[in-house]
Amino acid sequence: MLQLSYINQHPEEVIKGLERKLVPNAAEIVNSIIEVDAKRRATQTQLDETLAESNSISKQIGMLMKQGKKEEAEAAKQATGNLKDKSQELKEELRLAEEKAKELLVQLPNIPSEKVPDGKTPEDNAIVFSTENNITLPEGSLPHWELIKKYDIIDFDLGSKITGAGFPVYKGKGARLQRALINFFLDQAIEAGYGEIQPPIMINEDSAFATGQLPDKEGQMYHDPNENLYLIPTAEVPLTNIYRNEMVDANKLPIKITGYTPCFRREAGSWGAHVRGLNRLHQFDKVELVQIVKPENSYDILEEMTAHVEGLLKKLELPYRKLNLCGGDLGFTAAMTYDLETYSAAQDRWLEVSSVSNFETYQANRLKLRYKDGKQKGLCHTLNGSALALPRILATILENNQTEDGINIPKVLQSYCGFDKIS
RNA sequence: GGAGAGGUGGCAGAGUGGUAAUGCAGCAGCCUGCUAAGCUGUGCACGGGUAACCGUGUCCUGGGUUCGAAUCCCAGUCUCUCCGCCA
């Protein structure tokens, strides 16, 4: 959530930023927020004055009663009658103004960093880096949705039987490769100084709001109305919410945590022609990195985290490229995002396998996550990144490493898998 | 699922309708020379003010009663204990 004080002080910057993020009526919304907030402050001043008067009379009544001056006390009681009515009205006005301001504020996304390129669609994303793609596939090479059948390692039909479309069953070497990737990613994160966490995979409404999934992604999460809990769409939510309502000592920063979880997404309305196989799922596995940092470091940390993810892709020997997302393609809560995409030779497509984002104070403001540095206090910056999401990594490994007599397992994974080839 | 107990500042812990005691810790200032002690001030949010400072709210949350609620009433929530069920 954007900070009210910032909106009040820099309305033009905010409007410009929101327009870069393609928010319609940005100026209109910002101006009404400023207006409602001014109204809120004026009302509070009035209310405070009314309550102060009422409190002071009440104290006098208390003293008079002690001294046994009953008639004077009764007279003073009369005086508080209309003060109470007035304060009730003002309280209601204040509540309405606060509600209105929050309602407007909550629908505004984060504004992009200066480093974010202008643009409206994914075509406008800046390609920051790309590896050479010198993959030559054998004759008759197959996309992963054929390979998994050929080697019987992932079964979509079985998943449909048990649950439904988009819930695959991993079998045999498929299951083992999956587990190998999870362990490899976690070990690499731990080596890079992240503390491992196993969080709950259901979250309450407060958590979903604090990291920005609510109200923005309301319809995209699986929801249990009995308990009002949501299945996590990403470990970002439980990991970041560990620090909700916390005041962190500045010398404890940066906080670096990692966690493996399954992730659940309804993906309502987003199924299309090129989302076959592992490209889009309702349930998938991911290892997530989260950092909570001092504001002045956050962009250096963004580079550091992205470099970590690039390191994983290099170790897996996968061709990849790095994109700096343009304003129009940025997520709701992000100030800046690097997307990492691997190249799938068999599909001749780039597949997004990681998003590393700096949220600046947007999440911290909702989380009420602050740091204390001596006397200085302020909102932390939060960052997170996938390191990595498994299905598309699995897809590119299967497709790019296929040979006539089987699929070669990348060297770094062989000890984790206990085999070097799927055949 | 049933029954009971409880939720007060960073921590401990009093407080049954009239200014949230007290202790410990941390921080700041003052004072003092002997391995440290003493004194004073220090929660958070919002509002007003250049500032010093002032006001309002805040005793799990939300309502209610009252001139006035940590305290009384209602609802919710969380924690603990016992019983039941159970991987």
Side-chain angles (χ1 to χ4, degrees):
Chain A
M1 196 156 62
L2 296 174
Q3 291 172 263
L4 254 177
S5 55
Y6 187 81
I7 296 178
N8 275 319
Q9 284 160 26
H10 312 276
E12 287 82 17
E13 281 92 328
V14 172
I15 292 168
K16 234 162 70 189
L18 292 172
E19 280 168 350
R20 293 183 71 201
K21 223 159 176 178
L22 311 183
V23 173
N25 315 323
E28 201 181 307
I29 298 171
V30 167
N31 288 330
S32 25
I33 287 174
I34 292 171
E35 203 177 296
V36 171
D37 186 53
K39 160 89 177 155
R40 187 200 108 238
R41 283 193 314 244
T43 309
Q44 191 184 331
T45 302
Q46 266 186 286
L47 175 62
D48 285 355
E49 282 166 2
T50 310
L51 289 175
E53 199 183 338
S54 167
N55 283 345
S56 132
I57 294 176
S58 286
K59 276 180 195 167
Q60 282 172 28
I61 292 174
M63 305 236 301
L64 291 169
M65 298 289 270
K66 264 187 191 168
Q67 294 166 8
K69 299 177 181 172
K70 280 206 173 149
E71 290 101 57
E72 286 177 56
E74 285 303 322
K77 279 190 193 179
Q78 303 293 325
T80 59
N82 52 352
L83 283 178
K84 191 173 185 185
D85 291 344
K86 192 174 167 193
S87 70
Q88 289 292 354
E89 275 171 41
L90 288 168
K91 267 183 196 167
E92 180 62 11
E93 259 180 66
L94 182 64
R95 192 186 63 79
L96 287 174
E98 278 171 347
E99 206 171 71
K100 181 73 183 162
K102 189 173 181 194
E103 183 192 318
L104 289 167
L105 206 50
V106 150
Q107 62 170 302
L108 289 184
N110 202 354
I111 55 179
S113 150
E114 288 168 11
K115 301 170 190 191
V116 168
D118 285 324
K120 294 182 175 173
T121 68
E123 280 72 50
D124 301 319
N125 294 336
I127 299 170
V128 182
F129 173 82
S130 183
T131 54
E132 302 276 333
N133 297 331
N134 45 8
I135 299 216
T136 45
L137 295 180
E139 279 298 304
S141 66
L142 300 169
H144 69 267
W145 52 87
E146 302 288 351
L147 292 168
I148 59 172
K149 281 185 191 162
K150 180 171 172 186
Y151 296 108
D152 192 26
I153 50 175
I154 300 176
D155 196 328
F156 279 91
D157 296 336
L158 194 50
S160 296
K161 174 180 168 184
I162 301 168
T163 307
F167 291 91
V169 175
Y170 301 83
K171 296 156 72 176
K173 285 186 172 176
R176 193 134 182 217
L177 177 53
Q178 184 87 344
R179 187 154 53 86
L181 282 165
I182 293 165
N183 285 332
F184 170 64
F185 292 149
L186 281 175
D187 285 352
Q188 291 287 306
I190 289 162
E191 203 171 292
Y194 292 85
E196 185 179 349
I197 303 276
Q198 280 193 20
I201 59 176
M202 295 193 90
I203 47 168
N204 60 30
E205 195 176 340
D206 286 346
S207 292
F209 174 79
T211 38
Q213 280 68 30
L214 289 178
D216 181 50
K217 296 240 174 350
E218 171 85 67
Q220 294 297 338
M221 289 187 288
Y222 290 95
H223 181 227
D224 170 13
N226 291 321
E227 311 285 342
N228 195 22
L229 296 175
Y230 296 85
L231 278 171
I232 57 170
T234 159
E236 161 193 348
V237 184
L239 291 184
T240 312
N241 270 283
I242 290 172
Y243 295 94
R244 174 152 48 89
N245 291 327
E246 293 289 328
M247 175 87 79
V248 186
D249 211 315
N251 60 31
K252 299 254 166 65
L253 300 176
I255 291 167
K256 303 170 72 174
I257 50 178
T258 186
Y260 150 72
T261 66
C263 302
F264 302 88
R265 299 185 183 180
R266 294 187 60 223
E267 302 290 1
S270 64
W271 244 271
H274 48 256
V275 292
R276 293 191 66 178
L278 294 166
N279 291 353
R280 178 154 291 157
L281 300 172
H282 286 309
Q283 176 179 335
F284 64 96
D285 293 301
K286 180 158 65 68
V287 172
E288 185 78 0
L289 308 175
V290 167
Q291 286 209 43
I292 291 157
V293 308
K294 285 202 210 172
E296 60 264 33
N297 297 336
S298 65
Y299 281 93
D300 291 337
I301 303 275
L302 178 66
E303 297 299 325
E304 172 204 302
M305 290 175 77
T306 310
H308 175 82
V309 180
E310 288 183 72
L312 300 177
L313 295 169
K314 284 175 195 158
K315 284 176 184 163
L316 291 171
E317 302 166 76
L318 294 172
Y320 74 92
R321 66 180 187 181
K322 173 178 164 186
L323 308 177
N324 182 356
L325 296 193
C326 72
D329 201 30
L330 270 181
F332 189 79
T333 49
M336 177 164 168
T337 297
Y338 285 121
D339 265 9
L340 293 157
E341 301 183 330
T342 53
Y343 181 72
S344 154
Q347 297 181 64
D348 189 24
R349 286 182 61 208
W350 291 95
L351 300 174
E352 181 196 328
V353 292
S354 176
S355 249
V356 188
S357 303
N358 184 357
F359 304 95
E360 296 192 5
T361 59
Y362 191 90
Q363 290 183 328
N365 192 27
R366 289 193 183 192
L367 290 155
K368 295 191 172 59
L369 164 53
R370 292 171 300 162
Y371 67 92
K372 192 173 183 179
D373 196 350
K375 279 191 170 171
Q376 201 198 337
K377 288 180 291 191
L379 291 170
C380 298
H381 281 196
T382 60
L383 301 99
N384 66 52
S386 0
L388 279 159
L390 270 77
R392 295 176 191 160
I393 290 287
L394 201 60
T396 36
I397 287 175
L398 298 177
E399 289 172 353
N400 293 7
N401 296 353
Q402 60 184 303
T403 66
E404 273 152 22
D405 58 345
I407 296 163
N408 293 324
I409 300 298
K411 281 191 199 72
V412 289
L413 292 180
Q414 289 174 7
S415 61
Y416 284 95
C417 282
F419 53 85
D420 60 8
K421 190 177 274 271
I422 296 173
S423 52

